[in-house]
């Protein structure tokens, strides 16, 4: 399994972010070939009761690193990447990860 | 469901980090009451082929925010927190999140 993780910093306008994220960006992203699972987490704070550094995280699971790469290179992957950069280019951190079996 | 997310920046000594994380910290953390699931992801880079901002992520899943709070306040939760601050206090970002159903 390979995962693409998108971490979004706190947006200035949370309502506008949510509107675009859930109604436009997520539907585009879900069409990427090879995407097996997409899990979204919204952060509500820290254990110390402060605002968290990040607002939202999305985990996108693929069968393998090759499947992830192929997904990103597909037309749907490019459309998702273009939309991402337009609405949240300055907020997002993208990382590729692997599950660790303990 | 409520999640505690620990994000670790790149450590200077990855081998020493792994040794402590997997042999000491993870076993202490797994004893926290109420912890339902613990998923560790290791980052291998970014889609642009660079080193990622973070080295590792741990997601700790609890039934509810109250269960998460109770876990952190337990003796086991305090032991995990103390160990965390000792070995990775300057590397870790902790956040509490919720799954978003789409």
């Amino acid at each position: 399994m390979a995962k693409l993780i998108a971490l979004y910093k706190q947006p200035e306008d949370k309502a506008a972010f949510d509107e675009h994220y859930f109604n436009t960006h997520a539907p585009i992203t879900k069409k990427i070939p090879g995407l097996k699972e997409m899990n979204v987490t919204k952060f509500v704070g820290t254990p110390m009761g402060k605002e968290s550094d990040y607002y939202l995280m999305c985990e996108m699971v693929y069968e393998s690193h090759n499947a992830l790469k192929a997904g990103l290179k597909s037309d749907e992957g490019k459309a998702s990447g273009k939309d991402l950069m337009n609405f949240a280019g300055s907020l997002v951190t993208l990382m590729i990860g692997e599950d660790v079996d303990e």
Side-chain angles (χ1 to χ4, degrees), chain A:
Chain A
M1 293 290 187
K3 276 185 196 173
L4 178 64
I5 309 262
L7 273 171
Y8 297 86
K9 287 190 201 124
Q10 299 284 348
E12 277 188 40
D13 184 339
K14 293 181 182 18
F17 180 95
D18 282 2
E19 209 282 321
H20 189 93
Y21 186 84
F22 291 105
N23 296 325
T24 301
H25 187 66
I28 292 173
T29 304
K30 281 179 190 163
K31 289 181 188 157
I32 297 176
L35 180 68
K36 287 175 63 106
E37 213 178 293
M38 182 167 146
N39 303 313
V40 177
T41 300
K42 221 170 198 183
F43 297 114
V44 297
T46 76
M48 308 303 285
K50 298 191 177 167
E51 184 175 73
S52 59
D53 289 356
Y54 294 99
Y55 177 63
L56 190 134
M57 172 170 72
C58 180
E59 299 178 83
M60 289 151 279
V61 182
Y62 291 82
E63 193 66 45
S64 65
H65 285 288
N66 280 341
L68 195 164
K69 274 183 204 168
L72 296 184
K73 280 184 187 166
S74 67
D75 287 347
E76 295 85 350
K78 286 177 190 166
S80 172
K82 190 177 170 186
D83 181 65
L84 175 64
M85 288 306 131
N86 278 339
F87 95 99
S90 62
L91 299 174
V92 74
T93 297
L94 291 169
M95 297 185 290
I96 293 171
E98 289 167 356
D99 282 331
V100 178
D101 290 326
E102 287 183 84

